[in-house]
């Protein structure tokens, strides 16, 4: 049994501790907002936050998050996350949408850390989140818009 905090709730996961966190989220907990992309930590579709920092859940074992705080797209909350999601909607960022839960979480972590990131800082922070629809320009604009809305 692995105990952790998921989206603010204390839970116990009765799965193989070596199971990838992504499988536990999607298959055991039926939380499918976190996507399976490459399975090799190369594309960022499976991004979740671990104690507020973006990680690749496909290459993170359940035992590695024991006692820690995991946040997924289903539970990300607070003023930064709200500003990000509002900017995403206003600028109509997603195309197919597959990468976008990871993009939103990575952007939320960035703006929590750096309230007014430069283009280079946005690029560096989100470079591990690939978008096959190439929405990068809108993602960058939405991060700036969320930063402005937050007063950064
Ligand atoms: Fe399609 Fe990013 S919106 S992969």
């Amino acid at each position: 049994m692995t105990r952790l905090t998921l989206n603010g709730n204390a839970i116990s996961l009765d799965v193989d501790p070596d199971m990838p966190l992504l499988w536990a989220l999607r298959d055991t907990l039926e939380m499918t907002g976190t996507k399976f992309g490459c399975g090799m930590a190369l594309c960022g579709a499976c991004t979740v936050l671990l104690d507020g920092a973006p990680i690749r859940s496909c290459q993170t074992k359940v035992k590695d998050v024991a006692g820690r705080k995991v946040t997924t797209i289903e539970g990300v909350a607070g003023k930064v996350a709200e500003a990000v999601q509002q900017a995403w909607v206003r600028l109509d960022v997603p195309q197919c949408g597959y990468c976008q839960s990871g993009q939103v979480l990575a952007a939320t972590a960035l703006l929590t850390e750096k309230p007014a990131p430069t283009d280079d800082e946005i690029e560096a922070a989100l470079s591990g989140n690939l978008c096959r629809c190439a929405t990068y320009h809108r993602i960058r604009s939405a991060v700036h818009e969320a930063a402005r809305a937050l007063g950064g």
Side-chain angles (χ1 to χ4, degrees):
M1 199 68 85
T2 304
R3 294 181 206 287
L4 63 137
T5 301
L6 178 62
N7 294 333
N9 300 311
I11 67 160
S12 299
L13 261 179
D14 188 11
V15 299
D16 182 342
D18 286 321
M19 176 186 278
L21 176 62
L22 178 62
W23 298 9
L25 291 171
R26 291 183 57 85
D27 298 342
T28 307
L29 298 168
E30 298 183 349
M31 295 170 64
T32 54
T34 308
K35 302 304 183 195
F36 177 87
C38 65
M40 298 167 70
L42 298 173
C43 79
C46 68
T47 300
V48 300
L49 303 182
L50 180 61
D51 296 331
I55 59 154
R56 308 297 178 234
S57 62
C58 73
Q59 290 292 312
T60 302
K61 294 178 177 174
V62 165
K63 68 184 179 190
D64 296 331
V65 303
R68 302 178 70 182
K69 291 183 184 158
V70 174
T71 306
T72 69
I73 193 67
E74 289 91 347
V76 69
K79 66 182 171 84
V80 176
E82 275 169 30
V84 167
Q85 292 182 54
Q86 283 166 7
W88 247 244
V89 170
R90 259 198 309 277
L91 298 187
D92 206 8
V93 173
Q95 193 156 317
C96 81
Y98 201 79
C99 69
Q100 297 289 331
S101 49
Q103 307 282 5
V104 164
L105 288 167
T108 299
L110 169 64
L111 287 168
T112 301
E113 194 75 2
K114 281 184 200 296
T118 63
D119 283 349
D120 285 349
E121 287 168 337
I122 295 170
E123 175 137 358
L126 300 184
S127 63
N129 291 81
L130 305 185
C131 176
R132 62 189 170 185
C133 304
T135 64
Y136 299 112
H137 179 71
R138 292 201 297 276
I139 289 170
R140 191 168 59 236
S141 298
V143 172
H144 285 305
E145 176 154 332
R148 276 193 299 275
L150 289 161

